[in-house]
Structure formats: C-alpha cells, structure tokens
Amino acid sequence: MADQADFDINFALKHYLSDPATVPTPDADGSLLECENDPESLTSGVINGVLNPIVDSIAENPDALTRSSSFDTLQFLLKSVSLLPNHFLSKIFDLIISGLSLEADIVHNESDAEEQDNVGHHKQLLEMYAFLLQWSISAMEVKAAEKPANGPPARGRGAAKGAKSKTSSKDGVWDSTPQLQTALETMCKVLKLKLARVFMTTSERDTFVGLFTRSVYLILESEQRIKNTALRMHAFKVLCIAVKHHGHAFGAQTSIIQNLSYFEHLAEPMAEFLQILAEQYDHPQLTEEILRDLSNKEFNGNDTRGPKSVATFFIKLSELAPRLVIKQMTLLIKQLDSEAYILRCAIIEVCGNLISDLSKQEEPGNNHKNQINGFFDILEERFLDANNYCRCRNIQVYMKLCDLEQKFPKRRQMAAQLAARSLEDKSSNVRRNAVKLLGKLVSSHPFSVMHGGQLSFAEWNQRLQAVEVELNALKPPVGSPGLAEKGGNPDMTVDTALLDEATEIDAEAKEANPLTEDQKAAIVRKAAEDAATTELMNRLQLTRKYYSEAIRFIEVIHDATPVVCQLLSSKNKSEVIEAMDFFVIIDAYKIEAARTGIRRMLRLIWTKGNSDEGKGVQSHLIDCYRGLFFIAPDTFNDNDAANYIARNMISLTFGATPAELTSLEQLLSTMMKAQHISELVITKLWQVYGVQKQEISKNQRRGAIIVLGMLAMADPDVVIKEMGTMLRIGLGPLGRADLALAKYTCVALRRMNPSKRQAKDATTSASKMPNDHAVLGKLASMVERISDNKEWFGVAEQAISAIYALSKHPDTLSSAILRRKTKQVFQQQSVQQDQDAMEGVESQGALPSPPPEGPPKKQKSALALSQLLFIVGHIAIKQIVHLELCELEFKRRKAEKEKSKPPNASPTKRASTDQDELDQIGGTTEDDFSEVMNHIRERELLFGPTSLLSHYAPLVTEICSNNTKYNDESLQAAATLCMAKLMCVSSEYCEKNLPLLITILEKSQNPVTRSNVVIALGDMAVCFNHLIDENTDFLYRRLNDKDSSVKRTCLMTLTFLILAGQVKVKGQLGEMARCLEDPDKRIADLSRMFFTELSTKDNAVYNQFIDMFSHLSAATDLEEASLKRIIKFLASFIEKDKHAKQLADKLAARLARCESERQWNDVAYALSLLQHKNEEIQKTISAGFRLVEVTA
C-alpha cells in the first residue's frame, strides 16, 4: 500500500510514555489537523466525518488500520480525548476491540494452517491494535477519574459553563465496565495465540504483552473498578495467562510489590490473584518469590501506609492459600522483629490462619503437629509483645482458634493462664480482650464429653477423688507376691554361683510335672482377669487425666475472677461491659466464683448516667440480671416461671452486705419502674412472706420482705395493699421470734409513704396516719419490747424511722414511747403492768394480739439503759429531720399559694375546721418560719422546760464522763452514740460537750465507738462548721488509727467533707496521701478515688502539692519506694505546664537546703516527674548531692 503506516512499537511507546501529546500524527485527516489549534471547531460533525469511514473499513478488514491516515487519525482523536464527548471515545474503543478480535481470529486460523508468510504483517497489526487499546483504556480511566469532579458543578451551576459541561450533560452517565470486560476478554483471546510464532524474540513478545498488562494494572488502580467482581476476574485472567505462558512472572512480581506500596486497596485483590494463579494455573512460583521478596523488606517504624498494605496482603493470602504461605514461614517470621507493629500483627494472624488450616486436614502427620506446635509457640510469645495492638491481635487470634473443632487442650490451658496474666496489662484494650478470651475459652471448653458441660469445681473434684479411690482399689496390696518379687529379696545377696546347680534341678523337676487341664484353665482365667484389670486401670488413668485437666482449667478461671472483679471498677466502660459478660458466661457453666462477680456487678447501678456510656453500663447490668435471674426457661408455664423468678429474687438477698442490699434496692426499683417485674411475681413473694401452715427458712421469709420493700421504692402500692399481712407476720409472733424479719418489715412499712426524692408530686400528708392507727401501735410495741437480742437495735431504729415516715404527729407518739420505755428501765416492778397496757394498745383495730410471753424476764440493767439511750438518740435525729421537712413543706405550700393567687387579690384567711397547723401560719414569711424552726432546734429540744429530751441530755453526759463508774462497754458505746446525736441538735450542747467527745475519740478502746465518733464529727462539721473547723486535726489523727475499720471510716468521712467543701484543708492532706500505700487495699483504693476526684476541683492538688511533699518527705517511717509511688501518683494530676514550672522552682530551691541524701533524692525524683524544662535545675540535679561539713 502506498500510505502504509510506518509503525515502530518502541518509538511509539517512547513518545506515549513520556507524553501522549508528543506522539506525531502527520497523516491524520486534514479536517482534524485544522482543529489542532482551534479546539472549539472539533465538533461532532467533524469527528463523525473522519471516524465513520475508518469504522467501515476496519469492519471489512482489520488490515485497514495499517493505512497511515486511519492510524494517525485515531491517534489524533485519542490525543484530543479531553475534548471528545464520551460516546465518541466509546465508539473508538469498540472499533479497536473489534479490530483486534478479528485480527486474533485471522492469526489463529493462519497459525493452525502453519502459514508463515504474513508473520511480520500480523506482528505489526497486533502491536498497532494493542498500542491503541492501551491508549484508549488509559483515556477511559482518565475520563472516569474526572467524572465525579465535573458532575456536581454542572448540576449546581447550570449547563452554561463551556463545552465540557455541555458534553457531560448531553452524554449522561457512561458506564464503561461492559466494554472493559470485552476488552479484557479480547486480550485473553490474543494471549492464547501462539505468540512465539509471531514474535521471534523474547523482548518483542515482552513488549507486546506489556501493552496488555500495563492496561490491566491501570484498571486495577481504580478502587471502584476493583469492586466489580466480573471485571476483577477478567483482569486476573489476563495476568494469569501472561505469567503462565508469556514470561510475565518477573514483571508481575515487580508490579505487585509496587502496587502494595502505593495502593492500599490492592492488598486483598493481589492475594486473590496469586491464589487463582497457583490453584487454577498451577504457578505457585510467583507467590513464593513475592513472599521471599517481602520477607526481606524493611519498613520504617514511622511508615504506616506500606506496612499496612503488606500486612493485609499477608493475612488475606494466608486465608486463601495457606499451603503457599506455610512454605515461606521461615522467612516471613523475620517480620516479627520489624519496627512496624502492623506487620507483627499480620504475622500473628497468619500463624492463627495456618493453625486453623493444619487442624482441618484429614490425615495430620507428625510434621503437621510440629508445625502447629511451632506456631502456637510464636503466639504464646506474642502475649508479651511490646506493642499493645499486637497483644490485642494475638488474643483475638486465640478467640478465633477457640471455634475450631480440634480443641488443643494443652494449648488452651496455657492460653487461659496467659489470658489471666493479661488481665493485669497496662492497656485497657488488652485487658478487655483478655476477659473476652477467657469467656470464649469457657464457652468452648473441651470437657463436655463426659458429665455434660458444667464446670463446677466441687463436682469435678468429687469425680477425681472417686476415680482415685477406684484406682487405689485396683492396685495390688503391698504384701502380694508380685510386689515381693519386685521388691528386695534377702536371698539376692547370696552369690548366684552357689545356687546354679540347685536351680537347674528344680527347673528339671518342674518340667517333669505337666499341668492339668484345670490348672491350664485357671491360668487362662487369671490372665483374662489381669487383662481386664489392666484395661480398666488404663481407662481409669485416662479418666483421671481428663478430670485433672478440667480441674486445672477451672482453677485458672477461679484465680482470674478476682482480677476481673477489679475490672468492674474500670473507667473504660467497654471493659466493664466485657467483665459483666464474662461473669454471665461462667455462671451459665456453674463456676462457683461467678457469684462473687455477679454480686460485685450490683454497684454498677450507680454508674453516672449523664453520658451514653454511663447509661449503657446501667442498661447492660439490667440486661445481665434479667438474663440471670428474671427470665425463666421456655419450658416453664406462667406459674412456674413466677415461682422461679421469685426464688431467684429472694436468693439475691442471701449473705448480701448492707452496701450490696442498697445497690440491689436501686436495681430492683429501676427494673420495677421499667415494668420488668410482673404482678404474679409480686404475689408469689407475698405468699412466701405470709405462709404460716408450713415451715420455711428464716432467710427465705426475710428475703421476701427485703425484696418487696425494695420494689415499694418504685411503687408504694406493693406494700400498701398487703399492710395486714405485714402486721400479722413481721410485727406479729413471727416478727417477735425473728427480729431481723421485724426490722425488714419496718423498712417495707416506711416505703408506704414515698420520700420527696421518690415522689415529687406527692404531698407530705398524702398517706400520713393518725397516732391511733394499728400500724403505728404495732411499731411502738416493737420499740418498747424487752429483748436481750442485739438485733433489737436494728428493729428499734427502723421502727422509729417508720413512725416518723408514716405518722401525722410523730413527735407525740415518740414522746409516749420514750416515757413508757423509761418506766420499763427505771421502774422494773411495773414492767408487767406496762406490758399488759401495751397489749391493750395492740388489740386496737381487731388485729390478733401476740401470744403471751410468760412471766416478765429480768433484763440486764446496763443493756436496758443502752436501749433507752439508743431510742433517745435516734428520736433526736429523726426530730431534726421532721422539723426540716415541716420547713420544706411550708415553703412548698407558700410557693403554691403565691402561684395560685390572683395578681391584685388581697390575702384572706381560711376558716376550715380541719385546717392544718402549717396553713394557720400562712401569712408568715419564710425567713420568720426558718428562724422559729432554728430556735426550736437550738433552744427548745434540749433546753426547753417542757421538752422531754432535755431530761436525757445531762444523763448521757454523766454516763460518758464517768466511764469508770459506768464501765459496761456496750453502755458506753450507746451513751457516746446518743451524745453525738444530741450534739447534732444544738450548737450550744455541741460546744459544751465537744471536748468530752474528742477525749472519747482519743482514749476509747472500742473501735466501733471511735468510728461512731468520727462519723458524728463529720455530721457536726456540716451542722456547726465553726465549731469543728478548729478541731479537724483530731479527725486526721484517726488516719493513723491501729484499727483498719476506724481508719477506713475516717477516710470516707474526710473524703466527703473535703470534696463537699465542708472543711478547709490546712496541710493535712499528706496523711491522706500516705493512705495510698496502706496495706488494706480498700483504704488505698478509697484514697486513690479521693485524689482523683479532688483533681477535678480548681487546682486543688497543685495548691497542696508542696505541703503534701514536705509531710511525706519528713516521715521517717515511710519507705523510699512507697514515697516514690505516692509522689508519682500525685504528680500525674499536674497537667498544666505553668503549674509544673512553678512547682519545679519551689522544689529546686530545696535542693541546696537538703540535710541528707535521702531528702535530696526525694526532691530530685519529684523534679524528674514534672515537665519543667529548666536547664539550671537539670544542671543542679546532674551535679548530685553535696554535703559540706563546717569544722569549728
């Protein structure tokens, strides 16, 4: 042909790869050349005019591309692709694909016919089509990348923004994916040709194949393209053929490693490609080379992108093709020493994937077992990786391995021990995952083959002991012949040469006497019995081993439980939730230690619910408790379910501490408000409480009324409806016999009248009772009852509290009780008459009277007086509260009256006959009312001429001040408590008796008395701050009390007073800081909590830091290590640089004044903890301690 294109692939690629615009197109259509300098003139008509003839000619014969005009025209259009509408690019793309496909068919046919004449022509034609295909795919990808950027402006600003906007809006959305798939199919078609016959040299073939592979890699660079599965598979197919048949392995290796470095999204697709190449095309060599190359690659610790992509590649490849990875593990394992923790995480996960694959093989050999053990060794080492993310990933890998069918019992035991150790990791994330792993190990444990899946230590230990007994029974006794032969025989000391002849004679004699049939049968029977015994022993020994392994695993869980309990107090809420789930799991497997954690979980009901996290903890706790105790098995009917739930609720009270009962109360009342507890369950609880016909345990009846009282916090009707039952049971004969039952019944009765905090809408008088009500009569009789039982004090306290909660005039009723109780104490001869009178009171309301108690019993006078003083003190405290409630009620009514009064209305007085006393003083101002109430409290209650309490105040003072005369310990404790309560009533009485109270605090030998005085001083600090503020030193001294309970009480009291701002801190915080190192963990934790809360106040720790340091440094009995731990903890709250610098300057000034090396070291250590950046201080510290002696 005259216009044959002179195409050289190397020349064309050189220009194209440097800049496609530099590719020469001298023979392009003239109309296009005219548009080269005037892009606007390149219209659709011009393009169609030059493109359509080329399309027609190539459709007839693909050789038409060899015309220089056609080829240059297509090259020109591809150079101007940014100006072309999308449909023209699509048209060019289709043209090139169809032409290449036709040419491939022609080459295929000719190669079958083995015609070699036109090889050069076909070579040039294939190169031209492949070159244009590469260019068009590149142009298409550029267009695809630009589309998102151009689309939104066109929509937002209209379509009048130039040619680009017009073309894009006219073309609409162009999806080129189907055309790309066709192009990739065509590439596969071409690569399946016998290219060795077309391209004579390897370099020519590689250049040609590179035209296709370069396009494929370009397509893979697009994250959107790679998500299309069909397109991805077509691209992989092209690469696989190129690698397998056309020597593209090295090029693919280089490209894949580069792609992993620059394109994160290609990590998993590249792994998928290598798996397909190895499995479908039987070419694992490329994978091995890439793994070998990557294993030797070093990454910078600061580089995250490269290691992340490689790590993802390793993990995915180990999932898809573990057999390929395992061959290179000896090299890959070197990455465990990499600075990049992401790569270490990847190798850890690869080890897990390989273990999973090896365990699933049908015929595992010794080699596989050794490999599994090797990988487990690596995983166990990684529990101590320096990076917490690696430790987390390691634990997560173990969690996946727990789901395998093969259990690996020995390795699970080690994993449990390592996870238990990780519970104390410094990283919250590691601790959380360790808890999760322990729960997973329990839920997937391998000890369910025998006896079900429960893991009760007591049951398994019992089984082990039973097996031990059986084994011991099967062992032959010590004196049996068999053992004698094995044992030392004295004849063996004789020289064997002396016995040879005799032995031979005996042997011959034995041989001469053949065995009878019976003897032979006996020998056979004995051999069979021995074999059966041996088999049984072997079986029992295996069973013993099985039981021993189970017990070791259960012991690990038991040992881990206390640490998980500590995690329930973590600041990280997700960690707390995981700890809760752990206890739920181990409880399902009947592990005894679960109950400790489940009880400890109760305190989480107080988690602050201001944030979503706080609410999440509370709601999760309720969900856990619902699942554990409030959801019956599906097989139960409604009645059985109610019985099940009621029993569970009662069991929650067994052995509970007061703190746990308080938390349980909050939990149950919250659940009651959320309607999680049905009426039928409440009915069942009342049945348990009220049953009389059959004997039930005291704990069960007590538990029922405790729970009912808790539910009444949310709904008082729970107890109001069953008032008669409580009078009959708790305040009747059963209550007299069981004072604890009576106490909890009084608590439940108090809930009939909700407090203001529980029911803000309810009025105070809503459920108040007259003093002659049967309930109040029963309560009074319980207070006045003569009893030597210590439980009486609890009953009396709750009964008086119930009277003040329920009575309309509690002061009147309390006065009557006090008078009668005083007569009981001081007039023993009238006890019987008073008791008869009380029985008459109890008979009011047609309620059954308690059974006669026989003749009046003689009560110890000291105990009787102690009970009287207890009543006096508690009534005094409740009277103060009653006065405060009256004041609040007056203010509430006053405010409501002001709101409801018309603006111009004049004040008028009501004249109702049943008008309340508070309403009668409606015209009084709030200040006047408060002044009157304060006067009653200060002057009337303890000093008024008509006040009943005024007669007891001198008595109490007399008993307390004469502890040798009144030397009964319980009487002194009761008198001290009573005096402390009376001191909270009046400041005058408080000031008068404060020295006596402080003396008791200092001199008393009873730790309970000292604790009560500490609490009382805290209450007085709130009531009469000016009196206690000067005597706080006596409080701080109790931090050094020899009794830990007193010390703990003092620390709690001071914590409240300081955080509430009730006392001023005057440098005594050093003593509280010393509590951080107290041997009692509860005291140390409480002190830690105090300073954590104090740090939220305005620079409180900073302001007191120097004083605390001085106190601690001067303490000679404080070890240096302990002091360092305290200072380190306190310094962690100095967060502002300004504060750190100021403290550093003050401490640095002390260095020169230090008298001993220990003092100097303490100051230097404190300075090292502060971020001061002062070079002078650094020089001083570097110089070290210098002691200068001055001689006279």
Side-chain angles (χ1 to χ4, degrees):
M1 292 182 185
D3 57 346
Q4 182 78 26
D6 183 16
F7 178 76
D8 181 1
I9 184 63
N10 294 316
F11 177 80
L13 278 174
K14 178 183 174 183
H15 285 282
Y16 170 76
L17 293 175
S18 62
D19 182 8
T22 62
V23 175
T25 53
D27 296 328
D29 192 280
S31 57
L32 293 177
L33 293 173
E34 292 174 3
C35 301
E36 191 167 7
N37 297 321
D38 185 13
E40 292 292 333
S41 61
L42 190 63
T43 61
S44 298
V46 173
I47 297 170
N48 275 324
V50 298
L51 191 56
N52 288 337
I54 299 173
V55 171
D56 295 338
S57 61
I58 290 178
E60 290 178 10
N61 187 356
D63 290 355
L65 186 66
T66 56
R67 295 195 190 105
S68 59
S69 58
S70 299
F71 186 70
D72 283 359
T73 298
L74 290 175
Q75 286 191 114
F76 184 92
L77 290 173
L78 289 172
K79 279 201 299 184
S80 310
V81 71
S82 59
L83 306 173
L84 295 181
N86 289 337
H87 68 276
F88 282 119
L89 180 57
S90 175
K91 193 172 183 179
I92 295 170
F93 197 45
D94 284 338
L95 167 66
I96 297 168
I97 294 170
S98 60
L100 180 59
S101 180
L102 288 171
E103 178 60 21
D105 290 336
I106 294 170
V107 173
H108 176 68
N109 293 331
E110 290 188 4
S111 64
D112 287 345
E114 297 187 358
E115 297 180 7
Q116 298 292 327
D117 300 338
N118 297 322
V119 168
H121 173 70
H122 289 309
K123 170 179 170 293
Q124 184 185 29
L125 201 54
L126 285 172
E127 287 176 343
M128 293 171 74
Y129 274 114
F131 176 74
L132 292 177
L133 180 61
Q134 173 188 322
W135 197 343
S136 59
I137 289 175
S138 175
M140 192 179 293
E141 291 304 297
V142 170
K143 281 273 189 181
E146 288 177 353
K147 196 177 295 182
N150 292 339
R155 286 194 297 272
R157 302 175 187 170
K161 201 68 171 159
K164 274 190 187 177
S165 300
K166 289 179 183 177
T167 55
S168 63
S169 61
K170 183 168 66 178
D171 291 343
V173 178
W174 173 40
D175 183 13
S176 56
T177 304
Q179 289 174 292
L180 280 175
Q181 288 184 25
T182 308
L184 292 170
E185 288 173 1
T186 306
M187 289 181 191
C188 293
K189 187 177 180 181
V190 174
L191 290 175
K192 287 178 182 177
L193 297 174
K194 297 175 182 177
L195 295 181
R197 295 184 180 182
V198 179
F199 299 94
M200 297 305 173
T201 63
T202 304
S203 62
E204 290 178 345
R205 185 193 62 182
D206 289 347
T207 304
F208 175 73
V209 172
L211 296 173
F212 289 159
T213 56
R214 198 177 293 114
S215 300
V216 173
Y217 293 129
L218 185 64
I219 293 169
L220 294 177
E221 288 175 11
S222 170
E223 195 169 352
Q224 294 301 318
R225 298 281 194 209
I226 207 74
K227 289 177 181 177
N228 187 306
T229 305
L231 189 64
R232 188 171 70 250
M233 290 299 118
H234 278 90
F236 290 165
K237 189 176 181 182
V238 173
L239 294 178
C240 287
I241 296 171
V243 171
K244 177 70 176 175
H245 300 292
H246 301 295
H248 181 59
F250 181 75
Q253 179 183 339
T254 307
S255 298
I256 289 172
I257 291 174
Q258 285 180 348
N259 286 339
L260 291 176
S261 302
Y262 298 112
F263 303 102
E264 287 184 24
H265 70 275
L266 282 180
E268 292 190 355
M270 289 297 100
E272 191 178 359
F273 158 65
L274 291 175
Q275 180 228 355
I276 292 171
L277 179 64
E279 292 184 0
Q280 297 182 16
Y281 292 85
D282 191 25
H283 196 282
Q285 296 91 331
L286 179 60
T287 308
E288 293 169 2
E289 288 296 328
I290 289 173
L291 289 176
R292 198 174 292 120
D293 199 353
L294 289 174
S295 66
N296 294 320
K297 196 169 184 180
E298 293 184 4
F299 292 94
N300 190 344
N302 298 323
D303 181 15
T304 56
R305 189 172 180 179
K308 183 180 179 182
S309 185
V310 172
T312 309
F313 171 76
F314 284 157
I315 294 167
K316 188 66 177 178
L317 189 60
S318 67
E319 291 173 0
L320 297 174
R323 309 290 170 83
L324 294 177
V325 177
I326 203 168
K327 293 177 182 177
Q328 304 300 324
M329 275 306 289
T330 51
L331 295 174
L332 290 178
I333 220 75
K334 290 191 294 186
Q335 291 296 350
L336 284 175
D337 299 325
S338 172
E339 291 182 13
Y341 74 89
I342 298 177
L343 277 175
R344 300 204 301 275
C345 288
I347 300 302
I348 289 167
E349 193 156 348
V350 166
C351 289
N353 291 336
L354 296 181
I355 291 172
S356 177
D357 177 69
L358 289 170
S359 68
K360 293 173 184 175
Q361 294 187 15
E362 295 179 0
E363 297 180 359
N366 289 331
N367 187 35
H368 287 169
K369 290 179 182 177
N370 292 336
Q371 287 176 328
I372 288 174
N373 288 330
F375 294 141
F376 267 120
D377 290 341
I378 292 169
L379 293 179
E380 288 170 5
E381 288 173 6
R382 290 297 116 185
F383 269 99
L384 294 176
D385 195 284
N387 188 277
N388 61 315
Y389 288 106
C390 293
R391 299 196 296 274
C392 282
R393 182 66 62 87
N394 196 47
I395 293 172
Q396 289 162 3
V397 166
Y398 266 100
M399 280 190 269
K400 290 180 183 177
L401 295 178
C402 287
D403 293 325
L404 296 176
E405 291 183 11
Q406 193 172 342
K407 295 298 184 182
F408 304 107
K410 291 181 181 177
R411 295 294 181 172
R412 289 174 74 93
Q413 180 71 23
M414 180 57 70
Q417 293 171 2
L418 294 172
R421 185 181 67 187
S422 296
L423 292 174
E424 300 182 61
D425 196 282
K426 64 180 180 180
S427 167
S428 171
N429 207 16
V430 175
R431 296 195 300 269
R432 181 173 62 84
N433 279 283
V435 174
K436 218 170 181 179
L437 174 57
L438 283 173
K440 190 74 175 176
L441 287 167
V442 171
S443 60
S444 60
H445 73 85
F447 306 110
S448 56
V449 179
M450 300 169 66
H451 315 297
Q454 304 304 335
L455 294 174
S456 168
F457 179 83
E459 292 178 6
W460 283 92
N461 197 35
Q462 189 177 357
R463 291 167 190 154
L464 178 63
Q465 290 174 1
V467 170
E468 294 280 5
V469 170
E470 288 185 51
L471 275 170
N472 291 334
L474 288 172
K475 287 180 181 177
V478 176
S480 64
L483 289 175
E485 287 169 10
K486 292 178 184 176
N489 194 335
D491 290 342
M492 293 301 292
T493 58
V494 181
D495 190 352
T496 54
L498 297 173
L499 304 176
D500 283 347
E501 189 178 353
T503 306
E504 288 171 7
I505 293 169
D506 288 342
E508 289 172 3
K510 287 179 182 177
E511 287 174 5
N513 297 321
L515 295 173
T516 64
E517 291 297 324
D518 292 340
Q519 288 175 327
K520 289 180 180 178
I523 291 172
V524 170
R525 273 199 309 275
K526 189 174 184 305
E529 288 173 5
D530 290 346
T533 303
T534 305
E535 183 183 351
L536 181 58
M537 284 190 70
N538 289 337
R539 187 158 54 82
L540 287 173
Q541 284 170 350
L542 288 173
T543 306
R544 179 175 62 181
K545 183 182 178 184
Y546 179 77
Y547 288 165
S548 300
E549 288 179 355
I551 286 173
R552 280 203 303 274
F553 176 70
I554 296 169
E555 285 173 343
V556 172
I557 302 301
H558 275 267
D559 294 341
T561 302
V563 187
V564 182
C565 283
Q566 293 177 12
L567 298 184
L568 288 171
S569 305
S570 171
K571 292 180 182 179
N572 188 305
K573 303 307 177 189
S574 58
E575 196 174 345
V576 174
I577 288 172
E578 287 297 342
M580 283 193 273
D581 288 338
F582 170 77
F583 286 117
V584 172
I585 289 169
I586 67 172
D587 180 72
Y589 288 88
K590 300 291 185 287
I591 296 176
E592 293 87 344
R595 288 290 156 175
T596 306
I598 288 170
R599 282 196 181 277
R600 189 74 64 86
M601 282 161 56
L602 273 173
R603 67 179 65 176
L604 297 173
I605 195 65
W606 304 106
T607 306
K608 295 177 182 178
N610 299 330
S611 63
D612 291 338
E613 282 189 343
K615 292 175 184 174
V617 170
Q618 282 187 347
S619 61
H620 196 77
L621 173 67
I622 292 172
D623 290 342
C624 287
Y625 263 77
R626 282 191 68 198
L628 289 168
F629 303 106
F630 294 89
I631 297 178
D634 296 335
T635 54
F636 285 17
N637 58 32
D638 290 346
N639 187 62
D640 292 341
N643 287 333
Y644 173 84
I645 294 169
R647 277 198 302 271
N648 284 342
M649 292 173 76
I650 292 170
S651 71
L652 287 172
T653 64
F654 296 164
T657 63
E660 288 169 352
L661 286 176
T662 305
S663 299
L664 181 63
E665 180 179 80
Q666 180 69 13
L667 175 70
L668 291 182
S669 61
T670 304
M671 294 181 71
M672 186 70 183
K673 288 175 186 174
Q675 299 180 342
H676 291 321
I677 300 169
S678 67
E679 285 293 331
L680 186 56
V681 172
I682 295 171
T683 304
K684 295 292 181 184
L685 290 169
W686 279 117
Q687 289 175 3
V688 173
Y689 175 70
V691 66
Q692 286 181 301
K693 292 182 181 179
Q694 61 187 48
E695 290 292 329
I696 65 167
S697 69
K698 289 182 177 180
N699 284 337
Q700 200 170 7
R701 198 187 298 270
R702 290 176 192 168
I705 193 60
I706 290 171
V707 171
L708 288 165
M710 292 173 177
L711 298 179
M713 288 273 292
D715 183 9
D717 287 341
V718 169
V719 291
I720 291 173
K721 292 175 183 177
E722 297 289 340
M723 195 188 307
T725 306
M726 288 189 286
L727 296 184
R728 187 178 73 252
I729 303 295
L731 300 184
L734 288 169
R736 285 187 171 86
D738 182 8
L739 292 181
L741 180 66
K743 178 178 72 173
Y744 292 120
T745 302
C746 293
V747 173
L749 284 168
R750 278 174 52 196
R751 305 284 159 73
M752 290 167 56
N753 187 17
S755 66
K756 288 291 177 184
R757 188 173 57 183
Q758 297 160 6
K760 293 182 179 178
D761 297 334
T763 59
T764 308
S765 59
S767 56
K768 294 286 186 181
M769 302 173 178
N771 284 349
D772 59 352
H773 196 282
V775 171
L776 298 177
K778 285 280 189 180
L779 288 170
S781 70
M782 290 304 296
V783 176
E784 297 168 36
R785 186 171 184 275
I786 298 173
S787 173
D788 294 338
N789 194 331
K790 289 184 178 180
E791 289 283 352
W792 177 91
F793 291 95
V795 176
E797 178 186 2
Q798 296 302 332
I800 293 169
S801 298
I803 287 170
Y804 272 88
L806 300 176
S807 173
K808 197 169 186 179
H809 301 289
D811 45 356
T812 306
L813 183 56
S814 298
S815 298
I817 294 171
L818 207 48
R819 287 191 180 96
R820 289 194 290 268
K821 189 67 178 176
T822 304
K823 287 181 181 179
Q824 283 181 1
V825 175
F826 292 105
Q827 297 179 8
Q828 291 288 341
Q829 66 274 12
S830 61
V831 169
Q832 181 62 44
Q833 291 86 340
D834 289 338
Q835 197 163 350
D836 294 339
M838 287 311 304
E839 287 176 2
V841 172
E842 289 174 7
S843 64
Q844 295 175 6
L847 290 167
S849 60
E853 298 183 9
K857 51 186 176 181
K858 190 79 172 176
Q859 189 180 25
K860 189 180 174 184
S861 58
L863 178 59
L865 186 55
S866 299
Q867 291 180 355
L868 174 63
L869 296 181
F870 180 82
I871 295 173
V872 170
H874 198 59
I875 286 176
I877 287 291
K878 298 309 291 186
Q879 190 61 30
I880 299 172
V881 176
H882 179 62
L883 291 174
E884 290 175 353
L885 290 174
C886 289
E887 185 176 351
L888 289 173
E889 180 63 14
F890 168 75
K891 291 178 179 178
R892 186 187 67 80
R893 292 188 184 184
K894 186 92 173 167
E896 286 183 357
K897 193 172 182 181
E898 292 295 333
K899 285 181 184 177
S900 60
K901 190 196 302 183
N904 298 322
S906 58
T908 58
K909 287 187 179 181
R910 297 189 203 168
S912 175
T913 55
D914 59 345
Q915 195 172 26
D916 195 285
E917 292 91 333
L918 292 172
D919 289 332
Q920 292 175 7
I921 53 176
T924 310
T925 63
E926 290 185 10
D927 291 341
D928 292 342
F929 192 87
S930 298
E931 192 175 331
V932 169
M933 287 295 181
N934 192 45
H935 175 75
I936 293 171
R937 176 175 170 174
E938 283 287 339
R939 300 297 309 156
E940 294 293 330
L941 287 179
L942 295 183
F943 302 104
T946 59
S947 173
L948 189 60
L949 292 176
S950 63
H951 298 287
Y952 297 95
L955 171 66
V956 173
T957 306
E958 171 69 15
I959 294 173
C960 289
S961 57
N962 292 286
N963 62 331
T964 53
K965 184 177 180 181
Y966 308 99
N967 57 5
D968 186 88
E969 188 176 358
S970 60
L971 175 61
Q972 281 295 324
T976 303
L977 180 61
C978 180
M979 184 175 73
K981 289 181 177 179
L982 293 176
M983 288 171 70
C984 291
V985 175
S986 166
S987 61
E988 183 180 337
Y989 185 81
C990 179
E991 187 174 6
K992 181 180 176 182
N993 292 284
L994 187 58
L996 175 59
L997 190 70
I998 290 174
T999 302
I1000 294 172
L1001 176 64
E1002 294 289 311
K1003 300 293 179 67
S1004 175
Q1005 298 298 314
N1006 189 343
V1008 175
T1009 299
R1010 296 201 301 275
S1011 294
N1012 284 339
V1013 174
V1014 166
I1015 295 171
L1017 287 173
D1019 290 338
M1020 291 173 213
V1022 177
C1023 300
F1024 314 117
N1025 188 272
H1026 61 288
L1027 296 177
I1028 305 301
D1029 200 37
E1030 300 170 358
N1031 298 286
T1032 51
D1033 284 343
F1034 295 103
L1035 262 179
Y1036 282 100
R1037 282 182 199 170
R1038 290 305 100 204
L1039 291 174
N1040 294 316
D1041 197 284
K1042 58 187 177 182
D1043 190 274
S1044 61
S1045 64
V1046 179
K1047 192 187 296 187
R1048 190 165 60 251
T1049 303
C1050 181
L1051 185 57
M1052 284 192 288
T1053 303
L1054 287 170
T1055 295
F1056 164 73
L1057 293 174
I1058 294 171
L1059 295 180
Q1062 297 294 338
V1063 296
K1064 295 177 182 177
V1065 179
K1066 300 175 181 177
Q1068 303 101 325
L1069 283 184
E1071 285 297 329
M1072 299 190 76
R1074 285 193 65 169
C1075 291
L1076 289 165
E1077 286 293 309
D1078 196 273
D1080 189 329
K1081 190 175 183 304
R1082 289 177 293 179
I1083 293 175
D1085 289 344
L1086 188 60
S1087 180
R1088 190 175 293 271
M1089 183 271 292
F1090 164 73
F1091 282 105
T1092 304
E1093 290 295 323
L1094 184 67
S1095 66
T1096 60
K1097 307 293 181 184
D1098 293 334
N1099 306 324
V1101 175
Y1102 160 73
N1103 293 333
Q1104 299 293 327
F1105 188 88
I1106 297 296
D1107 288 338
M1108 287 189 287
F1109 178 81
S1110 300
H1111 180 91
L1112 294 168
S1113 184
T1116 55
D1117 58 339
L1118 186 64
E1119 293 181 3
E1120 186 175 0
S1122 298
L1123 181 137
K1124 286 184 176 182
R1125 285 192 293 269
I1126 295 171
I1127 296 299
K1128 185 177 182 180
F1129 176 74
L1130 295 174
S1132 66
F1133 298 115
I1134 309 299
E1135 297 175 346
K1136 295 181 180 178
D1137 291 342
K1138 178 179 70 174
H1139 292 163
K1141 289 177 183 177
Q1142 290 172 352
L1143 288 177
D1145 292 340
K1146 292 177 182 178
L1147 288 170
R1150 295 181 170 220
L1151 288 170
R1153 301 196 300 268
C1154 289
E1155 298 177 356
S1156 67
E1157 188 173 358
R1158 164 72 190 275
Q1159 288 182 358
W1160 192 93
N1161 289 338
D1162 292 343
V1163 177
Y1165 180 74
L1167 284 168
S1168 69
L1169 298 172
L1170 299 170
Q1171 302 297 322
H1172 52 83
K1173 297 179 182 178
N1174 188 319
E1175 293 184 3
E1176 291 297 324
I1177 295 175
Q1178 292 290 0
K1179 288 180 182 177
T1180 306
I1181 293 174
S1182 300
F1185 174 67
R1186 295 179 182 177
L1187 182 64
V1188 179
E1189 293 185 1
V1190 180
T1191 55

